[in-house]
Amino acid sequence: MKSNKAISFLAILTTVFVGTTLAGSIVPRFPFPVENSVSNVGEVSDYTFYFKLDSGINRGGRLEVMFPDQFIEGLGAPTCDFTCSVDSRTVTLIFPEDVHSDTEIQVKIMDIQNPATAGGTGNFILTTFQEDYPVDKNLIFASLGIAGEPADLPQAE
């Protein structure tokens, strides 16, 4: 009788645990998972993210890219290669087609205002959703270095 209770408890615990940990991982490309076209403070830059998903995502699913706190609210006036929107420091992109698991993905978000202070950024956070359900997530996707203002180069005489 005691073993039946243990099995029932294990089954309930497993159901609760699995039900709360559905998200897989977003795997960053090594060694440069995110690149910016201009790295100087305050400049407008294009950001390209490279990754693979543990789980596939269907057409109409979305990717949320949360920029670190060093970036300004609204991020400037970003644009994307496909449908996207901005809320605070999060850019939401809608996948125009199905994406299979373990497929290398490249997402470009253009016209992002770089942080106003030189140094390293916090981590970018990436999450995919199918409808309102999280599918894959990475809380420490990558960070970047932001350079100071460009200096004038001396002219050759």
Side-chain angles (χ1 to χ4, degrees):
M1 185 79 170
K2 191 174 187 180
S3 63
N4 287 343
K5 286 182 182 179
I7 292 171
S8 296
F9 175 74
L10 181 59
I12 291 170
L13 182 62
T14 302
T15 302
V16 169
F17 181 72
V18 170
T20 58
T21 59
L22 293 176
S25 183
I26 296 176
V27 181
R29 180 189 74 178
F30 184 77
F32 303 110
V34 61
E35 297 174 347
N36 52 355
S37 59
V38 178
S39 63
N40 299 101
V41 296
E43 296 292 326
V44 174
S45 181
D46 298 341
Y47 282 74
T48 306
F49 298 84
Y50 302 91
F51 55 91
K52 291 182 181 181
L53 302 176
D54 274 351
S55 310
I57 197 89
N58 293 330
R59 179 178 181 256
R62 67 184 193 274
L63 169 70
E64 289 186 358
V65 178
M66 182 182 296
F67 281 73
D69 289 342
Q70 290 85 355
F71 290 81
I72 62 170
E73 295 278 330
L75 302 171
T79 59
C80 308
D81 287 334
F82 44 94
T83 305
C84 70
S85 61
V86 180
D87 180 22
S88 185
R89 289 183 192 90
T90 301
V91 178
T92 302
L93 303 104
I94 307 300
F95 287 105
E97 56 190 42
D98 293 350
V99 178
H100 301 286
S101 63
D102 208 34
T103 300
E104 174 109 4
I105 300 169
Q106 175 180 323
V107 171
K108 187 174 189 178
I109 305 171
M110 298 158 285
D111 305 322
I112 297 286
Q113 181 83 40
N114 280 343
T117 306
T121 68
N123 283 300
F124 291 83
I125 299 172
L126 276 64
T127 309
T128 59
F129 291 86
Q130 194 66 56
E131 298 178 15
D132 291 329
Y133 303 102
V135 178
D136 291 334
K137 187 168 195 160
N138 191 321
L139 298 172
I140 53 170
F141 183 78
S143 59
L144 278 177
I146 302 297
E149 294 183 18
D152 291 330
L153 296 175
Q155 297 291 329
E157 294 181 27

mmCIF file of all heavy atoms in Angstrom, residues 126-150:
data_model
loop_
_atom_site.group_PDB
_atom_site.id
_atom_site.type_symbol
_atom_site.label_atom_id
_atom_site.label_comp_id
_atom_site.label_asym_id
_atom_site.label_seq_id
_atom_site.Cartn_x
_atom_site.Cartn_y
_atom_site.Cartn_z
ATOM 1 N N LEU A 126 16.046 36.278 -24.988
ATOM 2 C CA LEU A 126 15.247 35.882 -26.146
ATOM 3 C C LEU A 126 14.252 34.809 -25.728
ATOM 4 O O LEU A 126 14.624 33.874 -25.002
ATOM 5 C CB LEU A 126 16.137 35.331 -27.265
ATOM 6 C CG LEU A 126 16.775 36.360 -28.213
ATOM 7 C CD1 LEU A 126 17.741 37.268 -27.508
ATOM 8 C CD2 LEU A 126 17.429 35.652 -29.382
ATOM 9 N N THR A 127 13.008 34.949 -26.187
ATOM 10 C CA THR A 127 11.949 33.981 -25.906
ATOM 11 C C THR A 127 11.099 33.802 -27.142
ATOM 12 O O THR A 127 10.744 34.791 -27.795
ATOM 13 C CB THR A 127 11.039 34.481 -24.754
ATOM 14 O OG1 THR A 127 11.832 34.869 -23.643
ATOM 15 C CG2 THR A 127 10.050 33.401 -24.327
ATOM 16 N N THR A 128 10.758 32.560 -27.482
ATOM 17 C CA THR A 128 9.796 32.313 -28.552
ATOM 18 C C THR A 128 8.462 31.920 -27.934
ATOM 19 O O THR A 128 8.407 31.325 -26.848
ATOM 20 C CB THR A 128 10.245 31.192 -29.515
ATOM 21 O OG1 THR A 128 10.441 29.987 -28.791
ATOM 22 C CG2 THR A 128 11.519 31.581 -30.254
ATOM 23 N N PHE A 129 7.386 32.274 -28.649
ATOM 24 C CA PHE A 129 6.032 31.963 -28.211
ATOM 25 C C PHE A 129 5.244 31.380 -29.375
ATOM 26 O O PHE A 129 5.399 31.820 -30.514
ATOM 27 C CB PHE A 129 5.297 33.235 -27.754
ATOM 28 C CG PHE A 129 5.833 33.832 -26.490
ATOM 29 C CD1 PHE A 129 6.900 34.720 -26.523
ATOM 30 C CD2 PHE A 129 5.271 33.517 -25.261
ATOM 31 C CE1 PHE A 129 7.398 35.289 -25.361
ATOM 32 C CE2 PHE A 129 5.757 34.071 -24.092
ATOM 33 C CZ PHE A 129 6.817 34.964 -24.144
ATOM 34 N N GLN A 130 4.402 30.407 -29.073
ATOM 35 C CA GLN A 130 3.384 29.943 -30.009
ATOM 36 C C GLN A 130 2.072 30.304 -29.347
ATOM 37 O O GLN A 130 1.787 29.816 -28.260
ATOM 38 C CB GLN A 130 3.495 28.433 -30.244
ATOM 39 C CG GLN A 130 2.714 27.951 -31.431
ATOM 40 C CD GLN A 130 3.282 28.498 -32.746
ATOM 41 O OE1 GLN A 130 4.442 28.323 -33.066
ATOM 42 N NE2 GLN A 130 2.443 29.169 -33.495
ATOM 43 N N GLU A 131 1.327 31.208 -29.968
ATOM 44 C CA GLU A 131 0.165 31.839 -29.347
ATOM 45 C C GLU A 131 0.662 32.510 -28.076
ATOM 46 O O GLU A 131 1.599 33.288 -28.140
ATOM 47 C CB GLU A 131 -0.960 30.834 -29.151
ATOM 48 C CG GLU A 131 -1.467 30.268 -30.470
ATOM 49 C CD GLU A 131 -2.543 29.229 -30.309
ATOM 50 O OE1 GLU A 131 -3.132 29.100 -29.214
ATOM 51 O OE2 GLU A 131 -2.808 28.534 -31.302
ATOM 52 N N ASP A 132 0.099 32.207 -26.911
ATOM 53 C CA ASP A 132 0.548 32.856 -25.673
ATOM 54 C C ASP A 132 1.458 31.970 -24.831
ATOM 55 O O ASP A 132 1.731 32.283 -23.678
ATOM 56 C CB ASP A 132 -0.666 33.282 -24.836
ATOM 57 C CG ASP A 132 -1.420 34.417 -25.484
ATOM 58 O OD1 ASP A 132 -0.785 35.241 -26.166
ATOM 59 O OD2 ASP A 132 -2.654 34.489 -25.319
ATOM 60 N N TYR A 133 1.925 30.865 -25.405
ATOM 61 C CA TYR A 133 2.699 29.897 -24.646
ATOM 62 C C TYR A 133 4.186 29.983 -24.991
ATOM 63 O O TYR A 133 4.557 29.903 -26.158
ATOM 64 C CB TYR A 133 2.183 28.479 -24.921
ATOM 65 C CG TYR A 133 0.722 28.338 -24.596
ATOM 66 C CD1 TYR A 133 -0.232 28.354 -25.612
ATOM 67 C CD2 TYR A 133 0.292 28.233 -23.278
ATOM 68 C CE1 TYR A 133 -1.587 28.247 -25.316
ATOM 69 C CE2 TYR A 133 -1.055 28.132 -22.976
ATOM 70 C CZ TYR A 133 -1.990 28.138 -23.995
ATOM 71 O OH TYR A 133 -3.318 28.047 -23.691
ATOM 72 N N PRO A 134 5.043 30.133 -23.954
ATOM 73 C CA PRO A 134 6.488 30.147 -24.227
ATOM 74 C C PRO A 134 6.942 28.781 -24.743
ATOM 75 O O PRO A 134 6.475 27.747 -24.277
ATOM 76 C CB PRO A 134 7.116 30.461 -22.870
ATOM 77 C CG PRO A 134 6.082 30.131 -21.859
ATOM 78 C CD PRO A 134 4.748 30.241 -22.531
ATOM 79 N N VAL A 135 7.832 28.797 -25.723
ATOM 80 C CA VAL A 135 8.329 27.560 -26.318
ATOM 81 C C VAL A 135 9.807 27.381 -25.970
ATOM 82 O O VAL A 135 10.189 26.395 -25.371
ATOM 83 C CB VAL A 135 8.102 27.547 -27.851
ATOM 84 C CG1 VAL A 135 8.659 26.279 -28.467
ATOM 85 C CG2 VAL A 135 6.619 27.712 -28.174
ATOM 86 N N ASP A 136 10.648 28.337 -26.351
ATOM 87 C CA ASP A 136 12.082 28.290 -26.041
ATOM 88 C C ASP A 136 12.491 29.627 -25.425
ATOM 89 O O ASP A 136 11.894 30.670 -25.730
ATOM 90 C CB ASP A 136 12.912 28.043 -27.305
ATOM 91 C CG ASP A 136 12.742 26.647 -27.877
ATOM 92 O OD1 ASP A 136 12.415 25.719 -27.115
ATOM 93 O OD2 ASP A 136 12.942 26.481 -29.090
ATOM 94 N N LYS A 137 13.543 29.594 -24.592
ATOM 95 C CA LYS A 137 13.965 30.823 -23.916
ATOM 96 C C LYS A 137 15.447 30.762 -23.585
ATOM 97 O O LYS A 137 15.992 29.693 -23.354
ATOM 98 C CB LYS A 137 13.158 30.999 -22.626
ATOM 99 C CG LYS A 137 13.372 32.314 -21.920
ATOM 100 C CD LYS A 137 12.329 32.506 -20.838
ATOM 101 C CE LYS A 137 12.327 33.951 -20.401
ATOM 102 N NZ LYS A 137 11.098 34.335 -19.736
ATOM 103 N N ASN A 138 16.093 31.946 -23.572
ATOM 104 C CA ASN A 138 17.464 32.061 -23.113
ATOM 105 C C ASN A 138 17.590 33.373 -22.337
ATOM 106 O O ASN A 138 17.453 34.460 -22.911
ATOM 107 C CB ASN A 138 18.448 32.034 -24.284
ATOM 108 C CG ASN A 138 19.875 31.895 -23.819
ATOM 109 O OD1 ASN A 138 20.272 32.481 -22.822
ATOM 110 N ND2 ASN A 138 20.654 31.115 -24.547
ATOM 111 N N LEU A 139 17.828 33.270 -21.030
ATOM 112 C CA LEU A 139 17.925 34.447 -20.164
ATOM 113 C C LEU A 139 19.293 35.121 -20.207
ATOM 114 O O LEU A 139 19.446 36.244 -19.734
ATOM 115 C CB LEU A 139 17.605 34.061 -18.710
ATOM 116 C CG LEU A 139 16.197 33.531 -18.465
ATOM 117 C CD1 LEU A 139 16.070 33.009 -17.041
ATOM 118 C CD2 LEU A 139 15.171 34.622 -18.724
ATOM 119 N N ILE A 140 20.291 34.439 -20.742
ATOM 120 C CA ILE A 140 21.654 34.989 -20.817
ATOM 121 C C ILE A 140 22.197 34.789 -22.232
ATOM 122 O O ILE A 140 23.276 34.246 -22.432
ATOM 123 C CB ILE A 140 22.581 34.359 -19.748
ATOM 124 C CG1 ILE A 140 22.542 32.827 -19.829
ATOM 125 C CG2 ILE A 140 22.229 34.845 -18.359
ATOM 126 C CD1 ILE A 140 23.590 32.144 -18.973
ATOM 127 N N PHE A 141 21.436 35.255 -23.219
ATOM 128 C CA PHE A 141 21.773 34.996 -24.614
ATOM 129 C C PHE A 141 23.145 35.545 -24.977
ATOM 130 O O PHE A 141 23.977 34.852 -25.536
ATOM 131 C CB PHE A 141 20.704 35.590 -25.536
ATOM 132 C CG PHE A 141 20.949 35.310 -26.983
ATOM 133 C CD1 PHE A 141 20.651 34.070 -27.520
ATOM 134 C CD2 PHE A 141 21.496 36.277 -27.813
ATOM 135 C CE1 PHE A 141 20.903 33.784 -28.859
ATOM 136 C CE2 PHE A 141 21.739 36.007 -29.150
ATOM 137 C CZ PHE A 141 21.436 34.769 -29.672
ATOM 138 N N ALA A 142 23.398 36.805 -24.673
ATOM 139 C CA ALA A 142 24.679 37.441 -24.995
ATOM 140 C C ALA A 142 24.708 38.839 -24.396
ATOM 141 O O ALA A 142 23.679 39.390 -24.030
ATOM 142 C CB ALA A 142 24.869 37.523 -26.506
ATOM 143 N N SER A 143 25.898 39.388 -24.320
ATOM 144 C CA SER A 143 26.071 40.801 -23.971
ATOM 145 C C SER A 143 27.037 41.385 -24.996
ATOM 146 O O SER A 143 27.674 40.658 -25.752
ATOM 147 C CB SER A 143 26.617 40.945 -22.546
ATOM 148 O OG SER A 143 27.851 40.290 -22.425
ATOM 149 N N LEU A 144 27.118 42.727 -25.024
ATOM 150 C CA LEU A 144 27.976 43.403 -26.003
ATOM 151 C C LEU A 144 28.807 44.471 -25.317
ATOM 152 O O LEU A 144 28.425 44.993 -24.276
ATOM 153 C CB LEU A 144 27.121 44.119 -27.056
ATOM 154 C CG LEU A 144 26.567 43.313 -28.207
ATOM 155 C CD1 LEU A 144 25.706 44.203 -29.084
ATOM 156 C CD2 LEU A 144 27.671 42.706 -29.034
ATOM 157 N N GLY A 145 29.889 44.847 -25.970
ATOM 158 C CA GLY A 145 30.670 46.001 -25.541
ATOM 159 C C GLY A 145 30.280 47.210 -26.366
ATOM 160 O O GLY A 145 30.085 47.114 -27.574
ATOM 161 N N ILE A 146 30.117 48.334 -25.710
ATOM 162 C CA ILE A 146 29.804 49.599 -26.392
ATOM 163 C C ILE A 146 31.021 50.506 -26.263
ATOM 164 O O ILE A 146 31.506 50.770 -25.156
ATOM 165 C CB ILE A 146 28.550 50.270 -25.780
ATOM 166 C CG1 ILE A 146 27.331 49.330 -25.867
ATOM 167 C CG2 ILE A 146 28.272 51.616 -26.437
ATOM 168 C CD1 ILE A 146 26.887 48.979 -27.276
ATOM 169 N N ALA A 147 31.532 50.967 -27.408
ATOM 170 C CA ALA A 147 32.748 51.799 -27.457
ATOM 171 C C ALA A 147 32.389 53.267 -27.188
ATOM 172 O O ALA A 147 31.250 53.690 -27.373
ATOM 173 C CB ALA A 147 33.415 51.648 -28.802
ATOM 174 N N GLY A 148 33.388 54.022 -26.812
ATOM 175 C CA GLY A 148 33.202 55.465 -26.620
ATOM 176 C C GLY A 148 32.978 56.177 -27.945
ATOM 177 O O GLY A 148 32.889 55.544 -29.006
ATOM 178 N N GLU A 149 32.915 57.488 -27.873
ATOM 179 C CA GLU A 149 32.713 58.274 -29.101
ATOM 180 C C GLU A 149 33.913 58.122 -30.017
ATOM 181 O O GLU A 149 35.055 58.037 -29.542
ATOM 182 C CB GLU A 149 32.504 59.742 -28.743
ATOM 183 C CG GLU A 149 31.209 59.980 -27.980
ATOM 184 C CD GLU A 149 30.967 61.453 -27.696
ATOM 185 O OE1 GLU A 149 31.590 62.317 -28.366
ATOM 186 O OE2 GLU A 149 30.174 61.734 -26.804
ATOM 187 N N PRO A 150 33.672 58.094 -31.314
ATOM 188 C CA PRO A 150 34.812 57.966 -32.249
ATOM 189 C C PRO A 150 35.692 59.208 -32.185
ATOM 190 O O PRO A 150 35.217 60.327 -32.026
ATOM 191 C CB PRO A 150 34.154 57.809 -33.607
ATOM 192 C CG PRO A 150 32.756 58.287 -33.462
ATOM 193 C CD PRO A 150 32.404 58.176 -32.020
#
